[in-house]
Amino acid sequence: MTFQTEGFRDWKNAVGEKRGIISNHEKTPGHMTASTLAENFLSVTKGQMENIQSVISKTYSDKVEKNRKTLLSILDVVINLGQRNVAFRGNWKGDSEDGNFIHFIQWKSHFDDVLSQHLETAPGNAKYLSPIIQNEMISCCGDEIRDFIVRRIQKSKYFSVLADETADISGTEQLSICIRYVSESDNFEIHEDFLGFCPLLKQDSESITKAIIEQLSKWGLHVSLLRGQGYDGASNMSGRLSGVQKRIQEVQPRALYTHCRSHALNLVVVHGCTDVPIVRNTMTLIEKVAVFFSAGTRKHKLQDILQEQGSDDGPRGIPLMSDTRWGSRIKTVSAFISKLEPTHSALQEIESDCTHNSEKASRLRNSIESFDTIITSVVTQNVLGYIWPLTLKLQSPNVDLSSAYKEGRQVAEVIESLRNDEERFCKIYQQAVQLANAIDVTPVKKRIVVKQQHRGNVPAQSIAEHYRLNLFIPFIDHVTNELRTRLAESTEPALLAAYLVPEALPQLSEERENRLLAWYKEDLPYPDTAEQEIHRWKHQFQNHTGPLPATAMETLQNGILEFYPNVKCMLLLFLTLPVTTCSCERSFSALRRLKTWLRSTMGDERLSSLALMHVHQNIEIDPHRVLQRWDASGHRRIVTCFDKS
């Protein structure tokens, strides 16, 4: 019969109301039986219907259900330990291991009858609790999380890559890769999601570039859709001739590089505090004091005095200073000022104890009993206090490049305005005098010499004027200059999309518009009408009354871009451009919590998967999907009846 035992050739009569062979064939018993069988087959493969073996054998079906429950129970322990960063393994006692994973499996078996029966009856080589099975399940959990994130990225289409490297406890150089993208389904929320660690054998730009491109390709992210790169300022990453950013731009010219703004701001603080000798010396002294009271009996001595005096901070001492920790300097200086009197008292007591620490305590006390130290600390704390809010804001993934440059410019202007604010300096000076009086230090004016290289030497009539001319103004000038140099606004055409924000539209000149369209033309949905659309967009707000959206995010969330697809596309691409690599830095914190000294032999795949579980605790892991992924990853002795396709 046609379509059953022989082919079909009579195409002239294939369709039609009377002689249509195809339409008539659909009503034949043979076709209807085949359709039913096909539907049943698809339902079985998708898990929507039991297969014939399960229907025939109820015992087999019960066995499959029991196996699934057992594995899901084991997987539940894996997921919870992984998300909470609890070590799985422990010490071996004879032939058994005493670790957290085994402990919680046994604990759970007390109220899980299926798991309990499995542990009692399963053979020793089929309990599915071995380190190999643990690694497989952890890897499947990590893959499930990563695939979920990649699907969101692919839905957003364009993305930027953020990368930074650090050495773990075992000395392995780990490259952290994060992706920045804008999710329309989440009300245009900006995401910076960690996707994994990649071990590096070399730290040269060629090796790092290869690692980034290979990982993106492995995860299903095409470099053709890459529109931004965010790294620190190291030469192997930012080099114009052969750095990572240049090598990736050779593959994808539209992947614009951005030097991490938080790193740049940190360099402002570091260089601003080292270019003025008196500030540099004071910061060094404060660091020595913080280190001196960081451990041992000295730490307890300071804590006891703080507790006796009822410190607002409690018994906590002075936090250590770090060149790479962006907020550490202002916190350390502020703590030193607020705890100056207890610190001085603690140094006096340690000095009088006649121990091996007495000589060092004496030197630190003598250095603190200098009005130079006290007023420099107060000046530094006041000036850096203006930078601290910007430091916090830049760490948010929701900030865009335009806002970063704007905030940096405003901070520089505010700090520069202090230069001529004598009233403000008088308050700072009075605060320093009060601190000096608390430890019996008398303010004195330094003498003026003909030639002086190691401190300010500008003539002054009073002590206050001396510190204003030789400390306050030079420090402000250095910090302001560093801010304007390191946070200078980029002239890249991709950043001109910031002028599409309604509040900035009047500044969108014809020259800027031409450069903007020339850059974004390849990515626009309707490039031929982009110029007319921008003209309509300008007209939309020409006679607008009331407040206008001030950022690209506000503009997108305003809901007014449905009839402006090209403008919407340019704003989305603009928000995709990276601002900082703070998300990579946060993954380093997770790395330090995960790969500790006791877990230093952890494998790279296990490390990356555990990091994904720990970092993305907000992403719900579907145990059934993970189990199905695990079952499909290899030949299993235990029967689960999942579709292997």
Side-chain angles (χ1 to χ4, degrees):
M1 295 178 65
T2 305
F3 296 119
Q4 296 182 30
T5 59
E6 61 184 37
F8 177 72
R9 293 187 299 274
D10 189 11
W11 296 103
K12 180 180 178 182
N13 298 313
V15 294
E17 293 182 2
K18 295 182 178 179
R19 303 173 61 185
I21 296 176
I22 293 178
S23 57
N24 291 333
H25 173 75
E26 291 177 352
K27 302 172 184 176
T28 62
H31 176 80
M32 295 173 67
T33 301
S35 298
T36 303
L37 291 173
E39 289 174 3
N40 291 342
F41 175 75
L42 291 174
S43 298
V44 169
T45 58
K46 293 178 181 178
Q48 298 172 353
M49 177 186 288
E50 293 182 338
N51 59 33
I52 189 63
Q53 190 174 11
S54 297
V55 173
I56 294 173
S57 174
K58 182 68 169 61
T59 304
Y60 181 84
S61 178
D62 292 342
K63 181 181 178 182
V64 168
E65 185 66 23
K66 177 186 171 184
N67 289 343
R68 289 188 182 183
K69 286 182 178 179
T70 300
L71 291 172
L72 286 171
S73 193
I74 294 171
L75 186 59
D76 182 51
V77 175
V78 171
I79 292 173
N80 280 280
L81 291 180
Q83 288 181 329
R84 285 153 185 78
N85 186 28
V86 179
F88 280 62
R89 304 176 190 173
N91 299 320
W92 284 87
K93 295 181 179 179
D95 296 332
S96 62
E97 181 191 6
D98 181 27
N100 291 318
F101 176 72
I102 299 298
H103 170 79
F104 282 107
I105 288 290
Q106 292 173 346
W107 168 78
K108 192 173 185 182
S109 68
H110 294 156
F111 52 85
D112 188 330
D113 295 336
V114 175
L115 179 60
S116 177
Q117 186 181 1
H118 170 76
L119 296 178
E120 291 173 1
T121 59
N125 62 349
K127 291 186 183 296
Y128 293 91
L129 303 176
S130 69
I132 295 175
I133 298 298
Q134 291 176 37
N135 285 340
E136 290 176 352
M137 288 186 170
I138 291 169
S139 180
C140 289
C141 288
D143 290 343
E144 187 70 23
I145 293 171
R146 187 185 291 114
D147 287 353
F148 174 80
I149 296 170
V150 167
R151 286 194 295 271
R152 286 198 309 197
I153 298 170
Q154 291 171 339
K155 192 175 180 181
S156 300
K157 191 175 181 180
Y158 299 110
F159 63 93
S160 292
V161 63
L162 314 175
D164 203 353
E165 71 272 0
T166 189
D168 61 29
I169 193 70
S170 66
T172 304
E173 199 69 26
Q174 299 286 356
L175 179 70
S176 171
I177 300 177
C178 300
I179 301 297
R180 179 181 171 102
Y181 61 99
V182 183
S183 176
E184 288 190 50
S185 58
D186 294 335
N187 194 24
F188 299 100
E189 183 180 352
I190 301 174
H191 293 269
E192 288 184 359
D193 289 337
F194 167 72
L195 284 188
F197 291 116
C198 176
L200 295 174
L201 298 178
K202 296 181 180 179
Q203 291 179 259
D204 59 286
S205 58
E206 183 179 359
S207 301
I208 296 175
T209 303
K210 183 180 178 182
I212 291 174
I213 292 176
E214 285 182 352
Q215 289 299 318
L216 292 179
S217 177
K218 176 183 174 183
W219 296 332
L221 298 173
H222 300 292
V223 180
S224 60
L225 301 175
L226 179 64
R227 290 298 177 268
Q229 308 174 66
Y231 317 124
D232 58 23
S235 59
N236 64 334
M237 304 298 289
S238 63
R240 296 180 181 179
L241 299 178
S242 61
V244 172
Q245 63 97 4
K246 179 62 177 177
R247 291 174 182 271
I248 288 184
Q249 281 188 337
E250 290 173 356
V251 179
Q252 174 49 268
R254 301 180 63 73
L256 181 68
Y257 164 66
T258 304
H259 179 198
C260 172
R261 298 295 86 195
S262 285
H263 277 93
L265 187 62
N266 186 55
L267 291 173
V268 169
V269 177
V270 171
H271 287 277
C273 292
T274 55
D275 290 346
V276 182
I278 188 173
V279 178
R280 178 194 61 219
N281 297 339
T282 300
M283 296 296 280
T284 303
L285 172 63
I286 294 173
E287 186 173 10
K288 287 180 179 178
V289 172
V291 171
F292 184 77
F293 286 110
S294 63
T297 56
R298 298 160 299 186
K299 179 180 181 179
H300 297 307
K301 178 76 72 175
L302 179 59
Q303 288 178 339
D304 291 341
I305 294 175
L306 288 169
Q307 210 156 12
E308 288 174 7
Q309 296 185 1
S311 171
D312 294 337
D313 253 353
R316 287 184 294 179
I318 302 171
L320 294 175
M321 202 177 290
S322 169
D323 284 340
T324 57
R325 212 169 296 149
W326 300 314
S328 69
R329 289 179 174 261
I330 181 64
K331 288 182 178 179
T332 303
V333 175
S334 298
F336 175 77
I337 293 172
S338 64
K339 297 176 173 66
L340 180 62
E341 190 175 355
T343 301
H344 183 263
S345 300
L347 288 171
Q348 284 181 322
E349 289 189 19
I350 294 171
E351 182 182 358
S352 62
D353 288 342
C354 296
T355 63
H356 65 282
N357 292 317
S358 298
E359 185 269 336
K360 192 170 185 179
S362 177
R363 283 190 283 110
L364 290 175
R365 180 186 59 78
N366 287 331
S367 299
I368 286 176
E369 291 177 350
S370 164
F371 191 68
D372 276 6
T373 299
I374 296 171
I375 192 169
T376 304
S377 303
V378 177
V379 167
T380 304
Q381 192 264 348
N382 273 270
V383 174
L384 295 186
Y386 289 96
I387 298 177
W388 174 242
L390 179 59
T391 303
L392 294 178
K393 184 171 183 177
L394 287 179
Q395 294 180 37
S396 168
N398 289 323
V399 69
D400 60 65
L401 279 171
S402 176
S403 300
Y405 291 131
K406 181 180 177 181
E407 290 294 330
R409 187 168 58 249
Q410 289 179 350
V411 169
E413 290 171 357
V414 171
I415 293 177
E416 189 177 35
S417 69
L418 299 175
R419 201 176 189 278
N420 301 317
D421 191 345
E422 295 186 14
E423 184 179 348
R424 176 69 178 172
F425 178 75
C426 285
K427 292 181 180 178
I428 294 173
Y429 181 76
Q430 289 302 319
Q431 182 185 355
V433 170
Q434 290 176 5
L435 286 170
N437 292 336
I439 59 173
D440 298 326
V441 173
T442 304
V444 292
K445 186 177 74 169
K446 300 289 184 180
R447 63 187 180 89
I448 302 299
V449 296
V450 176
K451 186 177 181 181
Q452 177 59 260
Q453 296 180 344
H454 302 293
R455 63 175 174 84
N457 198 39
V458 180
Q461 298 297 321
S462 63
I463 301 174
E465 187 181 4
H466 167 79
Y467 284 106
R468 180 173 174 272
L469 296 176
N470 292 285
L471 167 63
F472 189 63
I473 291 177
F475 184 51
I476 284 176
D477 290 345
H478 277 86
V479 171
T480 305
N481 182 59
E482 287 288 331
L483 276 169
R484 288 186 169 148
T485 302
R486 298 186 181 277
L487 294 180
E489 192 162 356
S490 175
T491 57
E492 292 287 347
L495 304 186
L496 294 175
Y499 293 107
L500 292 173
V501 174
E503 192 179 71
L505 265 177
Q507 303 173 48
L508 183 60
S509 62
E510 184 178 351
E511 185 268 336
R512 285 173 173 167
E513 183 179 326
N514 292 335
R515 290 178 61 207
L516 174 70
L517 292 176
W519 176 265
Y520 284 109
K521 188 174 183 180
E522 294 181 21
D523 295 328
L524 296 180
Y526 308 103
D528 295 335
T529 60
E531 189 175 346
Q532 293 87 338
E533 187 176 309
I534 291 178
H535 186 236
R536 288 194 299 114
W537 180 248
K538 288 180 177 179
H539 183 74
Q540 167 89 8
F541 301 97
Q542 211 164 30
N543 300 314
H544 189 275
T545 58
L548 294 170
T551 65
M553 176 75 76
E554 290 179 14
T555 306
L556 287 166
Q557 292 176 342
N558 203 283
I560 55 178
L561 285 165
E562 293 303 319
F563 299 103
Y564 302 92
N566 290 316
V567 174
K568 178 182 177 180
C569 179
M570 286 185 277
L571 289 175
L572 285 171
L573 284 166
F574 172 69
L575 287 179
T576 302
L577 297 176
V579 181
T580 71
T581 57
C582 292
S583 297
C584 294
E585 298 287 345
R586 292 189 187 99
S587 71
F588 294 160
S589 298
L591 173 64
R592 282 188 283 272
R593 292 192 296 269
L594 276 166
K595 200 167 184 179
T596 60
W597 184 80
L598 291 173
R599 304 168 76 185
S600 59
T601 59
M602 186 187 300
D604 294 321
E605 186 175 354
R606 181 184 176 101
L607 171 65
S608 195
S609 297
L610 283 174
L612 280 165
M613 295 171 70
H614 181 50
V615 171
H616 298 294
Q617 295 184 41
N618 60 319
I619 296 179
E620 186 176 351
I621 301 175
D622 184 351
H624 291 85
R625 288 178 60 89
V626 174
L627 184 58
Q628 190 168 357
R629 183 188 291 268
W630 173 81
D631 184 57
S633 64
H635 178 71
R636 307 296 177 190
R637 291 174 59 186
I638 191 168
V639 182
T640 55
C641 281
F642 282 115
D643 175 26
K644 302 290 185 185
S645 61

